Amino acid sequence: MKYFEDLEIGTITRSPRSYEVTREEVIEFAGKYDPQPFHLDDEAAKQTFFGRLSASGWHTAAMTMRLMVETFQAGEPQAGLGSPGIDELKWIKPVYPGDTLRTESELISKRRMKSRPDMGLTKSETRVFNQDDELVMSMIGNGLIRVRDPDAPVED
């Protein structure tokens, strides 16, 4: 089991597989959660910045979450406790049906929580790339992870 103390700033973790974006999934997701015409209709999409049917940014974030969870599951089990949120999310390039996405996450900071000495707070930058290695999305997210020794002193 990997605990807070085992995490090293600068570590980069890559998704073990990629995710193929399908037209059907783009339309299904948009129909349920982001029913804007350029996510639902080819002709409407042609008249926009996107030029063709594109995935919702929220769909891209959901596919990213899937890849991140699969990455966690493929690696050494972690004493993860969930996430208190995201600090930054950027949709950099449109994602289209037929694209294949992959992720890499870099641990950029970590600290023990003074209010909860049994937990650590991590901050990671996740970058999402398409099949041409173009950056399509980035986010900085926070994670909570169990501390191996909650009685150890919390450093400032």
Side-chain angles (χ1 to χ4, degrees):
M1 179 76 59
K2 191 178 277 194
Y3 292 88
F4 173 82
E5 294 88 343
D6 303 318
L7 302 178
E8 292 184 33
I9 294 172
T11 299
I12 296 176
T13 307
R14 292 174 176 81
S15 54
R17 76 168 191 100
S18 55
Y19 190 97
E20 185 175 342
V21 182
T22 68
R23 173 183 170 74
E24 295 75 23
E25 191 177 18
V26 166
I27 292 170
E28 181 183 0
F29 184 97
K32 288 181 179 179
Y33 305 110
D34 191 356
Q36 298 183 74
F38 44 85
H39 298 317
L40 294 167
D41 180 76
D42 292 309
E43 290 306 312
K46 285 180 186 177
Q47 307 305 314
T48 67
F49 157 80
F50 302 107
R52 59 187 169 121
L53 192 73
S54 63
S56 164
W58 296 111
H59 186 193
T60 302
M63 292 182 281
T64 298
M65 188 67 206
R66 173 66 185 243
L67 288 168
M68 290 170 56
V69 169
E70 288 178 357
T71 301
F72 295 143
Q73 291 172 341
E76 181 180 353
Q78 291 194 8
L81 299 168
S83 171
I86 294 173
D87 290 342
E88 180 180 290
L89 173 64
K90 293 181 181 179
W91 295 305
I92 298 159
K93 289 187 71 107
V95 170
Y96 299 107
D99 282 353
T100 302
L101 305 179
R102 66 177 180 80
T103 63
E104 63 180 40
S105 295
E106 180 177 358
L107 182 63
I108 57 176
S109 70
K110 69 176 200 172
R111 67 175 175 83
R112 288 274 302 277
M113 297 180 65
K114 291 179 183 175
S115 62
R116 293 284 312 263
D118 57 327
M119 291 183 187
L121 180 67
T122 64
K123 192 176 295 282
S124 296
E125 179 180 5
T126 298
R127 296 174 288 272
V128 185
F129 298 92
N130 66 17
Q131 67 282 354
D132 298 319
D133 288 327
E134 298 171 314
L135 184 65
V136 298
M137 190 185 100
S138 68
M139 67 180 202
I140 296 176
N142 301 293
L144 298 171
I145 187 165
R146 195 168 300 131
V147 170
R148 180 179 286 111
D149 182 5
D151 295 325
V154 177
E155 299 174 15
D156 287 329

